[in-house]
Amino acid sequence: MTALRSALLVSASLLAACASVPEIMDVSDIHDRTLTLDTHIDIPLTYMTEIDPTGPTELQVDLPKLAQGRLDSGFWIVYTPQGEMDAEGYAAALEIATTRMDAIEALTTDHADQFGLALTADDVRDIVADDRHAVLVGMENAYPLGPDLSTLDAWAARGIRYVGITHFGNNQFGDSSNPHPERDGGEGTWGGLSPLGVELVGRLNDLGIMVDVSHTGKQTMMQAADLSRTPIIASHSGVKAVADSARNLDDEQLRKIADVGGVAHMVALGAYVKAPTPEQQAARDALDAAYGDRNRWDQAKRDAYMAERALISAMAPEATVSDFVDHIDHAISVAGIDHVGIASDFDGGGGIDGWRDASETEAVTAELIRRGYTEAQIAKIWSGNLLRVMEAVEAGATEPVGP
């Protein structure tokens, strides 16, 4: 190689490197300026007892990962699996929900220098401006509320700011997108919302709590949207047009959420981001049949199931950040830029190639930039739309509550 050619190659390499720096800096700068809010972060029952989330841990979300990914805020989830609708079932559900709520409160009190409990949209902004992580609380599955709404005020006072009507399986409030094959016969029980579910929507409006329709059946969702006096949300859902799943939203549902001023948050859970191959689906069906009712699993059985499920996922290329943003693109094309948000479902099954945990959160912003979204649009998708809905729900409350 001649000296001249060598010099030219070095110069070209330097120019290429210099050209890439502004692009990298732009992504990081935009990500840093954007208030990022993830509407669905699950926690194990051993959170704050056996597991210290200030980390590092094996969780997808802990303090080091939040810091590295610059994930500013999110909804920590009080999740309860669906059980029998009887006194014993309600009592067991209440114990699970209370354990998770206690842990979230402990996080924000024991580590108040790093985390703050947010009850309002302004709280989120203030806590993040204070260089801490804003922790909101969502209830996934209204089942632990029991046979009436007598405990809802207390949950609101503790900080619950959205309630998902159902999970897997119909409950006392309405029909699920995935009715239990045995308990529900694989069908709807109520034809949408139950009479108690109708009461629930109104009471959530009264208390300034967002109505969450992820995991609900379509009729449940459409009825809740019509009944609610304030905008609703889907806290963690995909879109059927990209990946056809009972859990995902069709275009009519997306339009309805937009019509009532709500937000549909796209979920980064591989099974709902990218449709399985026929071979994968057959293997998943066999695995589900072998393990039985997931609502009766202990943690060891859940871990074993997830390990086997990971092997099935590896049978084909897994969902990527690009696949995930395909859902965002489609939802925006149908519902509009003001009605779409982001959810990871981390530590509840979420995580895709490129966004496996909170440390890789910037990858989502980078993909949005690559597709031509402006900084203002990205700010809406990451948090602006959700905070707008929170403000509308707060303004519509007739009996707002505090801690």
Side-chain angles (χ1 to χ4, degrees), residues 7-331:
L8 287 172
L9 287 173
V10 170
S11 296
S13 298
L14 288 171
L15 285 171
C18 290
S20 67
V21 169
E23 295 175 9
I24 294 170
M25 289 180 64
D26 284 349
V27 171
S28 292
D29 289 348
I30 289 172
H31 189 70
D32 285 342
R33 288 194 296 267
T34 300
L35 197 166
T36 49
L37 193 158
D38 178 349
T39 48
H40 205 89
I41 298 170
D42 279 296
I43 59 171
L45 286 170
T46 52
Y47 201 74
M48 292 299 294
T49 53
E50 298 175 23
I51 297 175
D52 177 1
T54 61
T57 71
E58 294 184 1
L59 295 177
Q60 291 171 288
V61 179
D62 57 30
L63 184 57
K65 295 182 183 77
L66 287 167
Q68 184 177 346
R70 283 102 77 214
L71 180 54
D72 298 317
S73 58
F75 278 83
W76 270 243
I77 301 303
V78 174
Y79 159 67
T80 309
Q82 184 61 45
E84 298 296 332
M85 288 178 277
D86 56 25
E88 183 179 355
Y90 294 140
L94 180 60
E95 182 178 357
I96 292 170
T98 301
T99 297
R100 288 195 162 102
M101 187 71 230
D102 288 347
I104 295 167
E105 288 179 340
L107 172 69
T108 58
T109 54
D110 295 357
H111 304 292
D113 57 330
Q114 298 287 348
F115 298 93
L117 181 65
L119 302 178
T120 68
D122 281 342
D123 285 347
V124 175
R125 299 183 183 101
D126 291 344
I127 291 166
V128 172
D130 191 36
D131 201 26
R132 295 184 295 153
H133 297 283
V135 175
L136 301 113
V137 189
M139 176 177 279
E140 183 179 25
N141 196 2
Y143 173 54
L145 297 178
D148 55 45
L149 303 180
S150 59
T151 65
L152 184 57
D153 288 39
W155 284 107
R158 294 189 72 177
I160 294 289
R161 286 301 176 265
Y162 77 62
V163 171
I165 299 171
T166 64
H167 193 250
F168 283 102
N170 305 335
N171 67 13
Q172 69 270 38
F173 298 103
D175 293 338
S176 168
S177 59
N178 297 83
H180 191 281
E182 296 171 4
R183 185 172 54 244
D184 306 326
E187 299 180 353
T189 300
W190 306 101
L193 288 168
S194 72
L196 187 60
V198 171
E199 288 186 46
L200 174 65
V201 171
R203 192 67 190 138
L204 293 174
N205 290 168
D206 293 343
L207 296 171
I209 300 172
M210 292 180 289
V211 176
D212 174 24
V213 296
S214 283
H215 281 289
T216 66
K218 181 173 180 177
Q219 290 306 113
T220 308
M221 188 230 104
M222 299 294 274
Q223 292 168 14
D226 286 334
L227 282 169
S228 180
R229 305 191 306 271
T230 56
I232 65 169
I233 66 167
S235 65
H236 60 303
S237 297
V239 295
K240 283 183 180 292
V242 179
D244 191 1
S245 163
R247 270 275 285 109
N248 286 347
L249 304 169
D250 65 26
D251 287 0
E252 183 181 14
Q253 290 174 288
L254 290 170
R255 284 190 289 270
K256 172 62 79 171
I257 289 171
D259 287 346
V260 299
V263 185
H265 295 84
M266 299 298 101
V267 65
L269 196 156
Y272 306 127
V273 172
K274 183 179 179 182
T277 65
E279 293 77 15
Q280 284 178 308
Q281 189 60 58
R284 288 177 183 176
D285 291 344
L287 181 66
D288 289 344
Y291 272 74
D293 185 356
R294 70 179 61 213
N295 295 313
R296 301 183 186 276
W297 297 351
D298 58 17
Q299 192 62 44
K301 190 167 185 177
R302 176 179 172 80
D303 290 344
Y305 174 89
M306 293 305 293
E308 293 197 47
R309 184 65 179 260
L311 294 175
I312 296 171
S313 297
M315 292 167 60
E318 64 182 295
T320 66
V321 170
S322 179
D323 295 324
F324 172 62
V325 178
D326 286 345
H327 285 255
I328 294 175
D329 281 349
H330 182 84

